[in-house]
């Protein structure tokens, strides 16, 4: 870590001159109060990483569960390289959501709200209208919209 003057902060060096922050949580090391967290982003990250892990490790079983649901019975099986690439993307993006939620990153949260309320519904509805995906995937849009509302509520406090 570096102090305010740019020098390295060692034992006792730079006391009162710079703030040493925890790189994971984005807060001062040794701070007494617990940092704020955006639990909506943390929960959403686990949703994304869990779905991604299921897609990578248990694609046939996850396909079976999805196809057993009434509106998702038309879903093609998850298989091949594209399923694995999608799984990697979900886990990778989930890590960003987790870190943003732990840091209570408001800019990321606002970007997430915009994406989940504007871009995602338009994209998914367009894909359903073109016959590229099953209409049941619109259920996932409703989950994303509920998560975006929860995130917005957290930011409004």
């Amino acid at each position: 870590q570096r102090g305010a003057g740019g020098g390295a902060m060692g034992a006792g060096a730079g006391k009162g001159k710079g703030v040493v922050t925890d790189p994971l949580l984005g807060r001062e090391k040794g701070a007494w109060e617990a940092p704020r967290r955006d639990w909506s982003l943390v929960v959403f990250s686990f949703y994304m990483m869990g779905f991604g892990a299921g897609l990578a490790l248990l694609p046939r079983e996850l396909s079976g569960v999805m196809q057993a649901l009434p509106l998702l019975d038309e879903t093609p099986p998850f298989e091949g390289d594209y399923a694995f690439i999608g799984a990697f993307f979900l886990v990778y993006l989930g890590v960003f959501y987790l870190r943003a939620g732990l840091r209570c990153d408001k800019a990321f949260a606002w970007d997430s709200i915009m994406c989940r309320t504007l871009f995602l519904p338009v994209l998914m509805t367009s894909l359903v209208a073109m016959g590229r995906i099953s209409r049941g995937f619109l259920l996932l849009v409703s989950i994303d919209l509920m998560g975006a509302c929860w995130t917005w509520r957290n930011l409004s406090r």
Side-chain angles (χ1 to χ4, degrees):
Q1 299 291 347
R2 298 209 163 284
M9 293 185 68
K15 279 192 175 188
K17 293 184 180 178
V19 175
V20 180
T21 58
D22 184 321
L24 176 63
L25 300 177
R27 65 179 170 98
E28 185 177 341
K29 284 189 177 183
W32 286 59
E33 60 195 53
R36 284 193 63 217
R37 306 238 195 285
D38 188 335
W39 291 109
S40 66
L41 295 178
V42 172
V43 169
F44 190 69
S45 77
F46 285 112
Y47 161 71
M48 292 181 74
M49 290 187 291
F51 198 80
L55 194 55
L57 302 173
L58 305 164
R60 287 189 188 119
E61 292 80 356
L62 187 58
S63 287
V65 169
M66 296 290 278
Q67 291 170 340
L69 298 171
L71 289 175
L72 293 172
D73 55 355
E74 306 164 2
T75 304
F78 301 133
E79 58 189 11
D81 293 340
Y82 291 110
F84 188 75
I85 290 168
F88 175 77
F89 176 74
L90 287 170
V91 171
Y92 187 73
L93 193 56
V95 170
F96 283 101
Y97 271 88
L98 177 62
R99 291 184 50 102
L102 291 176
R103 287 191 307 248
C104 198
D105 185 335
K106 291 183 179 187
F108 185 94
W110 280 117
D111 291 342
S112 169
I113 291 168
M114 296 303 289
C115 182
R116 291 189 282 170
T117 58
L118 299 176
F119 175 71
L120 188 65
V122 170
L123 174 68
M124 296 295 263
T125 303
S126 300
L127 291 173
V128 168
M130 292 186 302
R132 304 280 304 192
I133 61 173
S134 163
R135 60 192 163 95
F137 278 97
L138 294 177
L139 292 173
L140 299 177
V141 172
S142 64
I143 292 171
D144 286 329
L145 288 173
M146 288 186 292
C149 288
W150 183 16
T151 302
W152 176 79
R153 184 173 164 258
N154 286 347
L155 287 173
S156 298
R157 292 184 191 179

